[in-house]
Amino acid sequence: MHRIAVTGGTGFIGSALISALIERGGTARLLSRAPSAAQRAPALSVVTGDLDDPAALSALVHGMDCV
């Protein structure tokens, strides 16, 4: 299954998207300014940061299949 990087994953739509991805056997990596707000699941990893942080974006997309 795909490895997918997600921004906005702590919001209403993003959290539903992550749940659906994991239910279908995928793995997800989430970019979040507040990692404590993120769901917890073995197939989910969280990168702390913001969209204007090049290092966080690089960590988010490294090794992923799509964004």
Side-chain angles (χ1 to χ4, degrees):
M1 189 42 130
H2 294 292
R3 297 166 295 181
I4 302 171
V6 179
T7 63
T10 58
F12 180 75
I13 293 172
S15 60
L17 171 66
I18 288 172
S19 293
L21 292 170
I22 292 172
E23 284 176 13
R24 287 170 176 77
T27 60
R29 186 176 299 149
L30 165 67
L31 178 68
S32 179
R33 290 176 293 203
S36 61
Q39 303 174 47
R40 297 293 172 209
L44 176 66
S45 59
V46 179
V47 173
T48 302
D50 204 326
L51 289 172
D52 65 355
D53 180 351
L57 289 176
S58 179
L60 174 69
V61 301
H62 180 77
M64 303 308 279
D65 297 316
C66 61
V67 178

